[in-house]
Structures are given as structure tokens and as C-alpha cells.
């Protein structure tokens, strides 16, 4: 059973000035932890409690799906970001950069696509960069609520949480400022490259 709150891979203040320590602490300790506790409570004594989060995302529905997906999504979100000092500013030349150029034209064009997906997503959700094995291509999509590309057989490489709790303390209603700051300064391209390699 992996309904555990995985450790945050950096300190609360590691993503400043782009995301404040207060936002990270509240997001992780209240929201992410809350999904873990809700799912544990919901599945106590149930056969599904022994299944993986991935299984629940693919097979469950309603609140079990929502909470399982939210745990998985946050685990990936924390690992989609990294402190600016540790990060490659752009995808290094390699498998990911070749696939980005093939699908979008350039890493700059991918940044615009990610920002546009965030802008056009009505309400809460995530922006995803994922590998679609059926067409052997990278894709970008904004998906509502907890929805996750695993459900359609795709392989998530990066996600950006654009629920209000991800930015409201820092940016109030300016979702665009938050998504721009994340896309320009925090996305962990090396981690996305590793996930793509594992998927191929
Ligand atoms: Fe969140």
C-alpha cells in the first residue's frame, strides 16, 4: 500500500522567490497530506486499500479516484520542480530535447504551449507534459480537477498544479504570473528526461 505522504524533495523555502515557503508548507502539509488522510480513511478495511495509486487512478471512480489521483499528482508536481540553482535552464541536448523539437518546434514553443494550456483551463486542474505511446509523441494538455494522463494510457513527464491553493497566497488571482514563474524558473527538465527514457 502506498498511501503515504512521500517526503517533500526540498525545503519549504527552496523554490523562493518564485513560490514562497508559506505556500509550499501549506500546500504540502495541509492539501497534499489531506488527500492521503482522506484516502486512508475511505479505504480502511477495503480490498482496494492494498492496491497501488496507479491502479486506483486507472480503475476507481468518484472520491477514491479523486483522492488517489491527487496524491499521485502532488508527488509528481513536487518532483516536476526543482530549486533554480540545481536546474538546467532548458532541456539539455538529448532524447527529451529531440522529442520537444519534433512535437512543438522548440523548447520556447513548448513554454508557450504550457502557459496557454494553463490560461485556457477553466477552473482547477493541472497542466501536463506527457508521452503518448500510441502516437509516439509528446503532448501538452490542461486537464480539469485531479484528472491524470495515466487514465488514457499516457505517461506523465511533468505537471504544474494550477489549483488556486498552489498560488493564491503569493499571487492572489494572478495565475498567469505563477505559471510563467514556474515554467521559466522551476521545471526540472532533467527529471522529465529520465521519465521519458524510462517510458521508451
Ligand atoms: Fe495542489
Amino acid at each position: 500500500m502506498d498511501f503515504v505522504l512521500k517526503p517533500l524533495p526540498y525545503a519549504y523555502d527552496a523554490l523562493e522567490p518564485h513560490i514562497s515557503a508559506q505556500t509550499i508548507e501549506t500546500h504540502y502539509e495541509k492539501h497534499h497530506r489531506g488527500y492521503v488522510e482522506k484516502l486512508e480513511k475511505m479505504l480502511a478495511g477495503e480490498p482496494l486499500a492494498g492496491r497501488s495509486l496507479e491502479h486506483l487512478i486507472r480503475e476507481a471512480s468518484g472520491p477514491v479516484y479523486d483522492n488517489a489521483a491527487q496524491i499521485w499528482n502532488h508527488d509528481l508536481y513536487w518532483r516536476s520542480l526543482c530549486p533554480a540553482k540545481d536546474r538546467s535552464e532548458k532541456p539539455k541536448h538529448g532524447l527529451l530535447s529531440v522529442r520537444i523539437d519534433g512535437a512543438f518546434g522548440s523548447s520556447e514553443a513548448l513554454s508557450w504551449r504550457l502557459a496557454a494550456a494553463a490560461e485556457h483551463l477553466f477552473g482547477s486542474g493541472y497542466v501536463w507534459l506527457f508521452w503518448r505511446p500510441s502516437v509516439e509523441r509528446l503532448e501538452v494538455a490542461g486537464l480539469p480537477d485531479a484528472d491524470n494522463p495515466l487514465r488514457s494510457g499516457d505517461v506523465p513527464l511533468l505537471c504544474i498544479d494550477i489549483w488556486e491553493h498552489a498560488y493564491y497566497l503569493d499571487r492572489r488571482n494572478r495565475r498567469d504570473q505563477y505559471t510563467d514563474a514556474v515554467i521559466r524558473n522551476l521545471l526540472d527538465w532533467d527529471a522529465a528526461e529520465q521519465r521519458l527514457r524510462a517510458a521508451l
Side-chain angles (χ1 to χ4, degrees), residues 27 31-32 35 70 74 77-78 126 161-163 165-166:
H27 196 168
H31 295 274
H32 188 173
Y35 299 121
Q70 283 292 61
H74 283 88
Y77 171 61
W78 304 127
Y126 295 76
D161 187 338
I162 54 170
W163 287 54
H165 64 230

Side-chain angles (χ1 to χ4, degrees), residues 99 103 130-139 153-154:
R99 294 296 187 166
F130 56 93
W131 173 249
R132 174 158 281 172
S134 59
V135 291
E136 299 196 328
R137 196 181 145 88
L138 293 177
E139 304 276 356
D154 300 319

Side-chain angles (χ1 to χ4, degrees), residues 109-167:
L110 168 59
S111 295
W112 298 329
R113 288 282 299 272
L114 292 166
E119 191 185 333
H120 296 142
L121 184 58
F122 185 76
S124 298
Y126 295 76
V127 169
W128 299 87
L129 173 67
F130 56 93
W131 173 249
R132 174 158 281 172
S134 59
V135 291
E136 299 196 328
R137 196 181 145 88
L138 293 177
E139 304 276 356
V140 164
L143 300 180
D145 304 324
D147 280 359
N148 181 311
L150 284 174
R151 198 132 157 127
S152 45
D154 300 319
V155 183
L157 304 182
L158 295 173
C159 71
I160 306 173
D161 187 338
I162 54 170
W163 287 54
E164 280 187 349
H165 64 230
Y167 60 88

Side-chain angles (χ1 to χ4, degrees), residues 60-121:
S61 58
V64 171
Y65 167 73
D66 289 335
N67 284 282
Q70 283 292 61
I71 298 168
W72 198 99
N73 296 354
H74 283 88
D75 285 338
L76 181 67
Y77 171 61
W78 304 127
R79 289 162 185 79
S80 294
L81 310 181
C82 80
K85 66 179 176 48
D86 300 333
R87 140 181 205 277
S88 308
E89 270 184 40
K90 286 177 170 189
K92 284 184 198 137
H93 183 69
L95 204 55
L96 180 66
S97 70
V98 168
R99 294 296 187 166
I100 288 172
D101 291 351
F104 310 108
S106 65
S107 59
E108 194 56 26
L110 168 59
S111 295
W112 298 329
R113 288 282 299 272
L114 292 166
E119 191 185 333
H120 296 142
L121 184 58

Side-chain angles (χ1 to χ4, degrees), residues 177-194:
Q177 290 182 355
Y178 158 75
T179 50
D180 281 351
V182 167
I183 293 165
R184 302 277 163 212
N185 303 292
L186 298 176
L187 288 181
D188 189 343
W189 298 113
D190 295 342
E193 166 101 21
Q194 286 170 21

